[in-house]
Amino acid sequence: MRQSLSEIRGIDHRPPEPATRNWPAAARAVTLAVALSAVLAVAAIIDQAGGRSLAEHATAIYTPYGKRADPNLLYGLVYAVAAIGALLWLLVLRVVQSRGRSAPILAVVVTTVTAALGLLLLGTTEYGARVFPPLWGILAVLPAAAGILAAALLRRRR
């Protein structure tokens, strides 16, 4: 005669615990990514208003070749990277806070995009020199590091 699975396995059998995600910690990590994107923008604003280290770096690269650097273009690129990153991370934050099913995938995609933008600032070269000082590239990559943490926290755990 046929027996049910509960009779075959015995009384001590427990069903597996449901997979969980650490939503609050992931939301904090995504908030950190938003804040780090804002730090890049604030650093650019401060530098453009006072220090002008990015403009001086560009001038030092292009002057030996008889070219004139446009620092506004460089600052504009930094602002664009910061704004795109912040907007994408705010989208991820909204999905994480609503505990959407797409949150882990979206976190990975946005981490990849922001890392690519940061690496673009970090690795862009012209005339054999880096267009952006390494500090700007590092500041641009930091939100992606927080995104890696968020994606790890959104992974299902048993």
Side-chain angles (χ1 to χ4, degrees):
M1 189 178 272
R2 293 181 63 175
Q3 292 180 321
S4 70
L5 287 177
S6 62
E7 290 175 356
I8 293 172
R9 291 187 182 169
I11 301 171
D12 294 335
H13 174 69
R14 294 183 193 168
E17 294 180 22
T20 61
R21 293 185 170 115
N22 195 342
W23 294 102
R28 287 190 298 274
V30 173
T31 303
L32 177 63
V34 173
L36 289 171
S37 295
V39 165
L40 176 62
V42 169
I45 290 168
I46 291 170
D47 188 66
Q48 190 174 19
R52 311 268 312 158
S53 67
L54 183 56
E56 291 171 5
H57 178 78
T59 302
I61 291 173
Y62 292 108
T63 301
Y65 297 97
K67 306 285 183 191
R68 185 176 177 280
D70 184 8
N72 292 328
L73 175 65
L74 298 177
Y75 285 111
L77 288 171
V78 173
Y79 292 136
V81 168
I84 290 169
L87 291 173
L88 288 173
W89 286 116
L90 284 171
L91 173 67
V92 173
L93 182 60
R94 182 178 172 134
V95 174
V96 167
Q97 287 176 336
S98 68
R99 297 185 178 206
R101 292 178 68 196
S102 62
I105 295 168
L106 188 60
V108 169
V109 169
V110 172
T111 299
T112 304
V113 169
T114 56
L117 290 172
L119 291 174
L120 182 71
L121 290 186
L122 193 59
T124 302
T125 60
E126 199 167 43
Y127 299 115
R130 292 182 185 204
V131 175
F132 296 93
L135 174 64
W136 294 99
I138 291 168
L139 285 174
V141 170
L142 286 177
I148 291 170
L149 176 62
L153 290 168
L154 289 170
R155 218 181 101 223
R156 289 183 187 220
R157 287 186 261 152
R158 293 192 182 261

